Each structure stands twice: as C-alpha cells, then as structure tokens.
C-alpha cells in the first residue's frame, strides 16, 4: 500500500480546518498546528456567502451553520438616543445585504470545521485519524527541499512532510519564513476591536450601528450565547497602535470612546471582564505569489481582503476547497499550485476591490459627515432604493466557477 501523502497546516481558524477536511477527503494525512493553547472561540458574526456556501454544502456543514446562525434580523443605523435612522432587513439571498442569510459566530464555524475535518478521510481509508490538531505550538523553521519539507517547531521537534500550507492569518509570521517581505499588508487606516458584553433589555435581535464624531463607530450584534458582540472602530494612522499589549489596547479604547455617547459606557465597562478582546488594524494582504517550492499560503495569510469586504470566510472556504482539489488532481505539486493560483486570483482580486472611500465614508470625522451618511442610509433603506441599498453591501461571493473534484474524493 502506498503511504498517504502528508501535509502540515499552520493555523486552526477557518482556512486551516477547511483545508484539512478536503485534503483528508482526498486521502492525505494532515497535521494542523495552532499557536493558541486551544481553539479560539472569539470573534463576531461572519458571513458565509455564495461559493463559500456551496463549499460548506459540499463539506456537509451547511445545515450545521444554519442551525448555529445568530438569527440577526438585519442592521439598524441609530442615533445617540438609540432611535432608528434606517433599517436594512436581513437578506434572503446569500450574496447581498449587510446581514447575510448565513451569519454564524466565527468561533462556532471554526468548531464545526474542526469537527468535520476530524471525521473526514474515513470513507475509503478506514482511518479516523487522518487529521491531527496540535495546539499551543507553531512553526519555527521551514527547510524546503525538492522531495520533502522539514519543519521545526517552536517547542522542539522536527517533522518531514510533503507539503506545508500557511493559513495563520493576516499577520502571519510563518509566511515571512518562506516568502520574506514580498507579501505586503496594506493598512486601511481603521483600528477595530471585537468583544463580548452582557445582553440587556435594550438589546434586540437587530444589529445596531452608531457613528460618533471623530471617525468612531460602534456596533452591537446579537449572538447565540445570550450575550452581545460589540465592535469599537476608529480611523487611525497605520502602525500607530501596533505592538500594544491587551491592557494598553483597553486603555486606548477607554480614552478614544469615553465621550462617544450612545452605548459607549456600557461597551467600555465590558472591557473590564473581557477575555476575548480581539484588536486589529484592518488591512489587506497583497502577495505576488501564494506558493513557493512545497509551501503554499491560504486564507487571510495569502490574500486578506479585510472585514470590510464581507468575503474573508467565503474566500477561506473556497481557497481551501480549490487548493486541496488541485493537489488531488495533479501528480506534481507544482502543477497543483499553478492551478490554485490561476483559479483563485480573479476571485480574490474582485473581493479585494472595496467600495470607493472605504473605510472613511462609513466612519465620518465630523457631525455633518455623519448627518450625510445617515441621510444616505435612510435613502438606501427606503423601499424605492432597497435594491440599490442591498447592492451596496453585495460582495462578489459568486464570482467563481467552482471546479468539481468529487471524483477525487476517496
Ligand atoms: C480570534 C479571531 C477573531 C476574529 N474575529 C473576526 C470578526 O469578528 N469579524 C471578521 O470579519 N473577521 C474576524 N476574524 C478574521 C476571520 O476569521 C478571517 O478573516 C477569515 O475567516 C479567514 O480566516 P483564516 O483562517 O484565513 O485566518 P484567521 O481567522 O485570522 O486565523 C488564523 C489562525 O492562525 C492562528 N495563528 C496565528 N499565528 C500562528 C502561528 N505562528 N502558528 C500557528 N497558528 C497561528 C491564529 O490563532 C488563528 O487561529 C477573526 C479571527 C480570529 C483569529
């Protein structure tokens, strides 16, 4: 019996487990290494749209996603007293609308994908251990040889594998080991923080969006845990807050939002007990190549399009499906990697095209700017303009012809 080919995947969020699922389905043996000590359950509602949803269906997780949807009714723009400026009901199509039909907490989706991957690869091989997860470790060195890759781990030990896939996010350090400084992160001038706070009777199942002067925005969104997912975003100079520790990040948020009004006090109070604060300067990754030798980039590590695109999850799911499918379809990994880049490049390029003026237009600095945004939201939400309003939030989630690799599943 020919031994199974082996892959090492860095990052257990969305892209990594999805790839592990598909590689195992194609008969590979996969190890996923995740730096965090356990699966990270933080993050907010994320959208599974278009081709991403088709991939989820092919993985057999679409029903699981539907069962775990947050039930968000739509998005409301509000004034400082909480009154409604404009309402955009949840979309009934899977590609348009600020609230997509399949909204799921990022941590819940990661859990679904990990569970699916562990059950993958069992059909033909009779093995239930095709996918292994290693938490609390990461790749320290990669030695890419013509016939294998030797990987060394931070916590000691080496491993030889056929391929390495780096799926560890926008700020991937592993990427640098192989691709150096060629991939660039284009900062978008917006710091965003995600946190979970207690639900109160003022909350509903509508997502609420509030703009404060100074380019500050707050959102509150329902979840499935009886709590509320909050964001605090503000326009900022790229790099200004890089390298802050969690306590410094909290201090910065308290200072920035102290006089922001609406629910700012309550959200800032939530920082006191916050365990899963996730603070980032949003940006996009642009990499001239996603593959080198026996190593490939995947997901945000390869092409982060930013949360503004609404496409991060769908791109990760589709990219994982295509990369694994191309690997299964070719004897030589170089042909597989060429196919992967050829199929994914146009899809990613469209997703990275953000609406003009993003993110500044959605985060006005002045009160007249906010009044203008609110007027635009009111018009967009009106019956006559609803279709246009929907299109404003319609990412190109279906802009790819998904290849069929079902004949390669073992
Ligand atoms: C905790 C968290 C919360 C998020 N919240 C949101 C949100 O609310 N809204 C939104 O739009 N997007 C959010 N994102 C980003 C979103 O998940 C991605 O844009 C998208 O789903 C693509 O996922 P990905 O798997 O490519 O990368 P990511 O989701 O960024 O996952 C990368 C994974 O790699 C791990 N990792 C990082 N460095 C290493 C290393 N050196 N070695 C091993 N593992 C490493 C990380 O811990 C993480 O699990 C969040 C990501 C994380 C990790």
């Amino acid at each position: 019996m020919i031994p199974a080919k082996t892959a090492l995947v860095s990052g257990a969020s969305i892209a990594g487990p999805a790839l592990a699922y598909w590689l195992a389905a194609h008969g590979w043996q996969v190890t996923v290494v995740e730096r965090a000590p356990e699966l990270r359950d933080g993050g907010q509602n994320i959208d599974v749209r278009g081709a991403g949803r088709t991939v989820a269906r092919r993985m057999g997780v679409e029903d699981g996603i539907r069962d775990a949807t947050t039930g968000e009714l739509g998005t409301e723009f509000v004034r400082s007293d909480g009154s409604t400026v404009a309402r955009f009901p949840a979309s009934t199509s899977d590609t348009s609308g600020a609230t997509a039909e399949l909204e799921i907490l990022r941590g819940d989706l990661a859990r679904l994908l990990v569970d699916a991957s562990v059950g993958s690869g069992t059909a033909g091989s009779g093995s239930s251990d095709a996918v292994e997860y290693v938490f609390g470790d990461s790749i320290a060195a990669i030695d890419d040889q013509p016939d294998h890759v030797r990987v060394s781990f931070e916590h000691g030990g080496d491993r030889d594998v056929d391929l390495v896939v780096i799926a560890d996010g926008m700020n991937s350090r592993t990427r640098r080991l192989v691709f150096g400084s060629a991939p660039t992160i284009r900062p978008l001038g917006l710091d965003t923080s995600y946190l979970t706070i207690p639900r109160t009777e003022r909350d509903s199942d509508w997502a609420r969006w509030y703009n404060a002067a100074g380019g500050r925005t707050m959102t509150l969104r329902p979840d499935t845990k009886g709590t509320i997912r909050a964001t605090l975003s503000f326009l900022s100079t790229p790099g200004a807050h890089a390298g802050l520790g969690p306590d410094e990040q909290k201090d910065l948020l308290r200072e920035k939002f102290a006089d922001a009004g609406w629910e700012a006090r309550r959200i800032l109070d939530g920082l006191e007990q916050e365990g899963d604060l996730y603070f980032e300067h949003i940006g996009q990754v642009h990499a001239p190549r996603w593959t080198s030798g026996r190593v490939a980039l995947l997901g945000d590590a390869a092409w982060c399009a930013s949360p503004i695109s609404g496409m991060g999850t769908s791109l990760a799911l589709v990219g994982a499906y295509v990369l694994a499918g191309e690997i299964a379809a070719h004897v030589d990994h170089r042909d597989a990697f060429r196919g992967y880049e050829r199929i994914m490049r146009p899809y990613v390029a469209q997703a990275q095209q953000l609406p003009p003026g993003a993110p500044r237009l959605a985060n006005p600095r002045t009160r007249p700017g906010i009044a203008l945004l609110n007027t635009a939201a009111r018009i967009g939400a009106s019956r006559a303009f609803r279709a246009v309003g929907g299109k404003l939030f319609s990412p190109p989630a279906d802009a790819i012809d998904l290849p069929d690799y079902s004949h390669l599943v073992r």
Side-chain angles (χ1 to χ4, degrees), residues 227-242:
T227 45
I228 289 289
R229 305 288 163 141
T231 62
L232 298 168
S233 304
F234 57 97
L235 295 177
S236 65
T237 308
H241 308 124

Side-chain angles (χ1 to χ4, degrees), residues 91-157:
S91 170
T92 47
S93 105
D94 70 352
T95 52
S96 70
T99 296
E101 194 190 346
L102 286 188
E103 297 261 357
I104 178 171
L105 294 177
R106 192 207 63 92
D108 287 350
L109 180 59
R111 169 64 62 197
L112 270 175
L113 296 172
V114 168
D115 289 349
S117 68
V118 171
S120 184
T122 57
S125 63
S127 143
S128 60
D129 55 5
V131 180
E132 168 201 19
Y133 283 87
V134 176
F135 287 93
D137 207 350
S138 52
I139 296 174
I142 296 177
D143 181 11
D144 190 4
Q145 295 291 326
D147 60 345
H148 72 280
V149 196
R150 172 152 296 187
V151 178
S152 310
F153 294 94
E154 291 286 350
H155 291 178

Side-chain angles (χ1 to χ4, degrees), residues 98-400:
T99 296
E101 194 190 346
L102 286 188
E103 297 261 357
I104 178 171
L105 294 177
R106 192 207 63 92
D108 287 350
L109 180 59
R111 169 64 62 197
L112 270 175
L113 296 172
V114 168
D115 289 349
S117 68
V118 171
S120 184
T122 57
S125 63
S127 143
S128 60
D129 55 5
V131 180
E132 168 201 19
Y133 283 87
V134 176
F135 287 93
D137 207 350
S138 52
I139 296 174
I142 296 177
D143 181 11
D144 190 4
Q145 295 291 326
D147 60 345
H148 72 280
V149 196
R150 172 152 296 187
V151 178
S152 310
F153 294 94
E154 291 286 350
H155 291 178
D158 295 337
R159 209 180 267 210
D160 289 346
V161 289
D162 291 300
L163 297 177
V164 169
V165 179
I166 297 169
D168 51 23
M170 178 175 85
N171 295 306
S172 170
R173 276 189 269 155
T174 323
R175 180 177 61 210
R176 182 167 278 277
L177 298 174
V178 178
F179 295 85
S181 56
T184 52
I185 301 178
R186 284 188 204 156
L188 289 170
L190 187 78
D191 279 324
T192 296
S193 296
Y194 308 95
L195 67 155
T196 307
I197 62 172
R199 189 175 169 122
T200 70
E201 60 210 17
R202 287 200 302 281
D203 296 308
S204 71
D205 285 338
W206 283 81
R208 290 183 291 156
W209 171 297
Y210 170 74
N211 288 98
R216 296 170 295 176
T217 300
M218 292 178 263
T219 63
L220 294 176
R221 303 181 74 174
D223 67 13
T224 46
K225 322 279 179 196
T227 45
I228 289 289
R229 305 288 163 141
T231 62
L232 298 168
S233 304
F234 57 97
L235 295 177
S236 65
T237 308
H241 308 124
L244 295 185
D247 289 340
E248 293 161 314
Q249 291 168 349
K250 288 181 186 180
D251 287 345
L252 175 69
L253 293 170
R254 286 187 194 103
E255 186 194 315
K256 281 276 174 198
F257 285 86
D259 64 348
W262 189 50
E263 301 269 4
R265 177 57 33 219
R266 174 183 157 213
I267 301 174
L268 294 178
D269 285 349
L271 286 172
E272 306 300 330
Q273 62 221 11
E274 176 53 34
D276 70 351
L277 177 71
Y278 182 70
F279 182 108
E280 64 172 352
H281 187 92
I282 66 165
Q284 291 194 330
V285 172
H286 291 266
R289 296 177 61 203
W290 294 331
T291 58
S292 168
R294 292 179 165 270
V295 183
L297 298 172
L298 174 69
D300 278 7
W303 54 60
C304 179
S306 89
I308 297 174
S309 74
M311 285 285 291
T313 308
S314 299
L315 288 176
L317 290 172
V318 171
Y321 171 80
V322 170
L323 177 56
E326 290 298 304
I327 289 171
H330 293 93
V331 176
D332 189 325
H333 68 277
R334 288 170 295 194
D335 295 328
F337 285 178
R338 269 192 289 275
Y340 167 56
E341 298 236 10
R342 180 177 49 76
I343 296 166
M344 286 302 294
R345 283 275 171 195
Y347 189 45
V348 167
Q350 288 205 46
Q352 288 190 326
Q353 273 173 17
L354 301 180
R360 286 184 317 281
L361 283 186
N363 300 272
R365 288 190 190 277
T366 62
R367 287 186 200 288
I370 293 173
L372 201 62
L373 178 71
N374 285 345
T375 304
R378 259 198 311 275
I379 294 170
S382 66
R383 201 178 292 263
F385 282 84
R386 186 125 345 129
V388 180
K391 285 208 174 60
L392 282 177
F393 296 112
S394 296
D398 263 331
I400 186 169

Side-chain angles (χ1 to χ4, degrees), residues 10-11 13-15 34-35 40 43-44 106 138 168-169 194 299-300:
S10 179
S13 175
I14 306 301
E34 162 62 48
R35 187 177 57 184
R40 300 175 70 176
Q44 308 249 329
R106 192 207 63 92
S138 52
D168 51 23
Y194 308 95
D300 278 7

